[in-house]
Amino acid sequence: MSNKVLVLPGDGIGPEIVAEAVKVLDVLATEFDLDINLDNGLIGGAAIDATGNPLPDETLKNARYADAILLGAVGGPKWESLDIAIRPEKGLLKIRSELDLFANLRPALTAPQLVEASALRSEVVSGLDIMIVRELTGGIYFGQPRGIRELENGEKQGFNTLIYSESEIRRIGHVAFEAAMKRDRRVCSIDKANVLEATELWRDVMDEVAKDYPDVELSHMYVDNAAMQLVRTPKQFDVMVTTNMFGDILSDLASMLTGSIGMLPSASLDKEGKGMYEPIHGSAPDIAGQNIANPLATILSVAMMLRYSLGEEKQAERVEQAVDAVLTAGYRTPDIYSEGEGMRKVGTIEMGDAVVAALKG
Ligand code: IPM
Ligand code: MG
């Protein structure tokens, strides 16, 4: 049966980078017998403009029906003055939550060809391979009550709730430990248990989950220290597991260890492994429409999709090898460009074309 993939380009650079990822899927279909059926949908600001809703019912319906979803990015200044309840980001949060995509895998791998593009010294980042496992459908992003209220003295007060139940912590814990079993068998759980009760419970539940995995070593770290350690000695980490908000922040930080946020893919999975795949970066409205965005994070997200949701390991490796080949050949979008022999500064489309050419061999 044909794999059904729903493509949601979104806003800003979303449509440009997704177009390159779709080219990759098309080549896999025509040249390498990938059985795939692509459908398009609206999300974010593009959906607000067309329907008034950042996640139209039709998109959600098609997303439920699809085997996997490929997403670009959402948001931009055009929609920033809208009420928070109907902003583009709400569309993204709602699709994550409606589809129960609680497990967000964000690998931070430094490609050897890009060691020089990192802001850190090459010996600190070369060979880096971290898997950040971010809880994606709970915590302060979704906790109730939330809002902005007016106090009796007329002053406004904003409030959110950081809330986690044992079952939510347990299931993301298992994802992290399972991931570690396939890697270096080390999990570092990141919390702020010295201040926040919700993450005190997080720590306790992680200790409990660890008992099911005697071969995996569990450690705990406060998030402030983790931010520091990630910059100081990032290679000490194997799998990091953390809450929705800490994971959001630490994955942006980790991306810069790899050279550019334009390189990092992600998978957001439900308990059956169905998933949505997106680059970890945002819609970058400042560079949209200029053919300079890096499409590699989205193309690498396609590889994750092939591996995790479509069971196409061979095709996933093809895509990763093609990306590796174009980096070796010196192709660089501006975000990963540094002067040197054989370096070729290219645009979004040329980078996509180079990956396609590498795939064709
Ligand atoms: C991410 C993004 C989103 C998040 C935004 C766009 C809502 O920053 O996927 O990391 O905060 O989760
Ligand atoms: Mg983020």
Side-chain angles (χ1 to χ4, degrees), residues 205-220:
V205 174
M206 286 297 161
D207 280 331
E208 218 183 274
V209 173
K211 292 185 188 139
D212 291 344
Y213 302 86
D215 297 338
V216 178
E217 177 196 309
L218 171 67
S219 58
H220 302 279

Side-chain angles (χ1 to χ4, degrees), residues 158 188 210 235 264 288:
C188 183
K235 284 189 263 180
L264 290 209

Side-chain angles (χ1 to χ4, degrees), residues 2 33 51 80 83 112 114 142 164 173 219 222 250 255 281 305:
S2 185
D33 294 328
T51 72
E80 259 161 29
D83 187 282
L114 296 184
F142 293 93
Y164 271 115
S219 58
Y222 297 139
L250 293 179
S255 75
H281 61 69
M305 175 172 92

Side-chain angles (χ1 to χ4, degrees), residues 347-361:
T348 312
I349 296 172
E350 293 73 29
M351 186 59 111
D353 288 343
V355 175
V356 164
L359 273 170
K360 289 183 173 170

